[in-house]
Amino acid sequence: MKKRHEQKLIILSVGLLIAFSIPISLLFNSETEVFGYPMILVYFFSAWMISIIISFVIVKKYDE
């Protein structure tokens, strides 16, 4: 894997670290529900799913 692809994965990791930090997470801690689930759970699982998809695309597309 090339250096720039590793850098993309590091940037994704730092972005997830920021996304899962307490101040950002508490922004989604409300009484609002989406399909019966609390908003904070929807936020956590959607951010997790999006990060998995992005990392899969990076690794699959640029794997040499």
Side-chain angles (χ1 to χ4, degrees):
M1 187 176 291
K2 293 184 179 179
K3 186 79 167 173
R4 64 184 172 145
H5 308 312
E6 291 175 1
Q7 291 173 351
K8 289 178 184 178
L9 292 175
I10 291 172
I11 290 171
L12 177 65
S13 299
V14 170
L16 284 174
L17 184 67
I18 293 169
F20 288 140
S21 67
I22 295 297
I24 303 298
S25 299
L26 289 179
L27 291 175
F28 295 95
N29 191 13
S30 66
E31 297 294 324
T32 308
E33 293 185 353
V34 178
F35 299 115
Y37 296 105
M39 187 64 163
I40 194 162
L41 286 180
V42 173
Y43 168 70
F44 281 141
F45 285 113
S46 61
W48 184 32
M49 182 176 49
I50 290 170
S51 69
I52 290 171
I53 292 169
I54 290 172
S55 62
F56 176 77
V57 167
I58 291 171
V59 170
K60 188 70 174 172
K61 186 175 181 182
Y62 300 113
D63 192 26
E64 296 175 355

